[in-house]
Amino acid sequence: MYYRFGKVFHFISVLLFLFTFLYFYSAMPEFVAYELDENGYAVKEFSRSAYFYTGIILFAVLNFALITPAKLIENKSTRSLKQLFPTGDIFRDYMLTWIYSFAGVVNISLCIMSLFIHAINNQNEIGSGSYSFFFYLIPILFVVWIIALFWILLQKFNSIRNNSTI
């Protein structure tokens, strides 16, 4: 049941990424800078179309790689996954929720990265220093999600150990 909330969160994060990425892409100059020197001049830059295709390909590859294990668990694709996460098992629900929500967190971090690139290239509108909170937020979210994964796996292994001792 909980994994549906994870799916909704992932879907909303996909829509958020697409909206923000396309919005910021439309405001980019012909050459997109991603590193500035101390005077505010572009040190490293690439074309606007390369930025677009790189961003979309990165987004698609990350989402495919992160959602594939959840789909394998949901569809019971292998015998070992069917035995490890049977239908009705609470840990199956927890694991699916974790996978979908982690993919959502990755998508939100991609949104923040596109916001930062936008802030670098449009410094008249937005100062890149005003978003430093987000750069601390994303690693904290990653750490919390990884700790949650280890907690889920530890609980699952303990339940397997308790059921196997007869």
Side-chain angles (χ1 to χ4, degrees):
M1 175 66 182
Y2 294 120
Y3 79 93
R4 292 184 183 165
F5 293 116
K7 277 187 166 183
V8 169
F9 177 65
H10 175 254
F11 180 73
I12 290 171
S13 72
V14 166
L15 292 179
L16 179 69
F17 172 78
L18 291 175
F19 176 76
T20 58
F21 186 74
L22 292 175
Y23 177 74
F24 294 146
Y25 169 72
S26 68
M28 291 292 169
E30 188 61 35
F31 289 99
V32 178
Y34 61 95
E35 185 177 334
L36 301 175
D37 63 4
E38 61 274 352
N39 296 326
Y41 295 112
V43 174
K44 296 181 181 176
E45 60 186 15
F46 52 93
S47 71
R48 181 178 169 185
S49 61
Y51 167 74
F52 177 76
Y53 290 118
T54 302
I56 292 296
I57 289 171
L58 180 68
F59 170 75
V61 166
L62 283 174
N63 275 282
F64 179 76
L66 292 173
I67 296 302
T68 299
K71 291 299 181 185
L72 290 174
I73 292 172
E74 278 183 309
N75 296 333
K76 303 174 194 165
S77 297
T78 64
R79 187 171 184 220
S80 61
L81 284 176
K82 191 186 302 185
Q83 290 175 345
L84 189 59
F85 298 110
T87 303
D89 184 22
I90 190 70
F91 296 109
R92 176 183 187 266
D93 195 35
Y94 289 161
M95 186 57 79
L96 289 173
T97 303
W98 184 88
I99 292 170
Y100 283 116
S101 62
F102 185 71
V105 168
V106 168
N107 289 340
I108 289 173
S109 70
L110 290 174
C111 288
I112 292 172
M113 284 176 29
S114 68
L115 173 68
F116 182 68
I117 297 292
H118 176 70
I120 287 175
N121 288 284
N122 296 316
Q123 290 195 357
N124 295 336
E125 297 174 20
I126 303 170
S128 59
S130 62
Y131 295 104
S132 62
F133 167 73
F134 293 118
F135 294 115
Y136 294 111
L137 178 68
I138 291 302
I140 290 170
L141 285 175
F142 280 143
V143 167
V144 167
W145 254 257
I146 297 299
I147 289 171
L149 173 66
F150 284 121
W151 180 82
I152 291 169
L153 292 176
L154 180 69
Q155 296 298 319
K156 178 64 179 175
F157 293 147
N158 284 339
S159 73
I160 290 172
R161 186 177 341 131
N162 291 338
N163 288 339
S164 67
T165 57
I166 298 176

